[in-house]
Amino acid sequence: MRHPVQLFKILSDETRLAIVMLLRESGELCVCDICAATAEPQPKISRHMAILREAGLVLDRREGKWIHYRLSPHIPAWAAETITTSWQCLREDIREWLKKSACTSC
């Protein structure tokens, strides 16, 4: 992430913004949690995760057949501050989304 325009283009998509906000709130989520919280199918979430990974915003780890995502600790400070400010505005909504996302599979 080298330029604010890149961050804003990525976050201008509602699904990607939701994913980043969910990860900011939770620390780490599996794909099934993200799908449940966003009410989006797994293939769509996977496409968005690829964009976020390519931009360096998220990292993933595999645990068995599940992939868990978290925000990258290498995000520039200005980008992390933008994400945190956005999260502060949306946190009540995000917490409601997470209440519906209790994945029991992973």
Side-chain angles (χ1 to χ4, degrees), residues 10-101:
I10 289 167
L11 296 182
S12 69
D13 180 272
E14 286 183 46
T15 302
R16 286 193 295 271
L17 176 62
I19 292 167
V20 170
M21 296 297 103
L22 289 163
L23 293 174
R24 172 61 179 79
E25 173 70 21
S26 297
E28 183 177 82
L29 291 170
C30 72
V31 173
C32 57
D33 285 329
I34 296 169
C35 291
T38 60
E40 297 290 351
Q42 186 272 326
K44 183 174 182 180
I45 294 301
S46 292
R47 284 193 307 274
H48 286 294
M49 296 312 299
I51 292 167
L52 293 169
R53 221 178 11 254
E54 217 172 86
L57 285 175
V58 300
L59 299 175
D60 61 15
R61 71 174 177 86
R62 183 172 289 277
E63 187 175 301
K65 65 179 183 171
W66 300 105
I67 298 177
H68 297 262
Y69 291 95
R70 68 186 187 283
L71 291 177
S72 172
H74 308 295
I75 296 172
W78 63 266
E81 188 174 325
T82 299
I83 289 167
T84 295
T85 300
S86 300
W87 168 78
Q88 288 171 340
C89 293
L90 297 169
R91 69 179 157 212
E92 295 308 316
D93 293 335
I94 295 160
R95 289 174 181 161
E96 286 300 314
W97 299 340
L98 284 168
K99 285 180 185 176
K100 357 176 233 190
S101 73

